[in-house]
Amino acid sequence: MRSIICILVAAAQLLATYAFTSPQTTTTTRSSQLNARPEARSREVHKNILSRRTINEFEPTLPDNWEKALEKSIEAAIYAPNHKRTEPWRFYLLGPKSIEKVCQLNADIVASKKGEEAGQKKLKRWLQMPGWLVVTCVKGDDDFNNPTSLAREDYAACCCAVQNLCLSLHSQGIGTKWTTGPVNFDDRFAEAVGFAPEKEFTVGTLWFGSAVGSSPSPPLKRLAVEGTFTKVE
């Protein structure tokens, strides 16, 4: 009986220790762990950025962990740089019905320009994409053409958010393709997706899923660091 009481007392003390551990202490501990290996973290982040690729061919079904991975990636997305903290990004995960509407709309647009055969070919291709996420930006009252406008700042923030999202998914083994074809800006697209075009505009559609085969080779860069980086005194 005495031994049981001792165990219960010890357990209570342990619980009290956790109960009175403040979030700040937890954050500090986590920060200390991260700062303990800055070089390793730097290599890991740099490798993730340089190894990300646009994926054109996906497996027909999404991986088992895709919903949790997507939520984690959206969390990464909303931590993008954002002037005045307007948080203009919105994310729409499309289901089968909305995917079919968007695919058919795109096929109609292609067919009107290139003929019915081209439209059907595009329809078949798009219906094979496993995951669909539409990213929009909340509209402001100022002029986007003004380089100092909040509207332009918000669009830039949304683009940063998309990059964060793609990098996060990539780190979890899920590939992406950011598309900005004409269908994204058609008046009927907003209705198919389910957002109000007078309040938001499309930044792009992200296809996501498991890549077929190995990762594509790095693209050839026309300009290296030396061709883009200037030191100004």
Side-chain angles (χ1 to χ4, degrees), residues 65-126:
N65 66 332
W66 74 269
E67 290 181 279
K68 184 177 180 180
L70 182 61
E71 289 180 4
K72 184 177 180 180
S73 297
I74 290 177
E75 181 183 25
I78 64 177
Y79 274 82
N82 177 210
H83 191 207
K84 296 189 177 181
R85 298 182 181 178
T86 54
E87 301 182 5
W89 35 67
R90 300 292 184 269
F91 306 92
Y92 295 85
L93 177 63
L94 304 193
K97 291 183 179 179
S98 52
I99 290 173
E100 186 175 356
K101 289 179 181 178
V102 171
C103 290
Q104 188 59 61
L105 174 59
N106 182 67
D108 292 344
I109 294 172
V110 172
S112 67
K113 297 178 180 179
K114 300 180 180 181
E116 188 64 28
E117 184 177 349
Q120 288 302 309
K121 183 178 180 180
K122 185 68 70 172
L123 177 61
K124 181 180 179 180
R125 158 75 175 160
W126 277 38

Side-chain angles (χ1 to χ4, degrees), residues 162-194:
V162 170
Q163 173 71 344
N164 278 9
L165 195 151
C166 290
L167 287 171
S168 180
L169 284 175
H170 171 56
S171 72
Q172 299 174 79
I174 297 177
T176 57
K177 180 171 183 174
W178 180 2
T179 69
T180 55
V183 68
N184 288 273
F185 312 106
D186 189 279
D187 293 338
R188 297 163 289 180
F189 182 78
E191 181 181 357
V193 173

Side-chain angles (χ1 to χ4, degrees), residues 198-213:
E198 67 274 11
K199 295 181 179 179
E200 303 169 33
F201 66 91
T202 307
V203 176
T205 297
L206 292 178
W207 292 332
F208 64 91
S210 300
V212 172

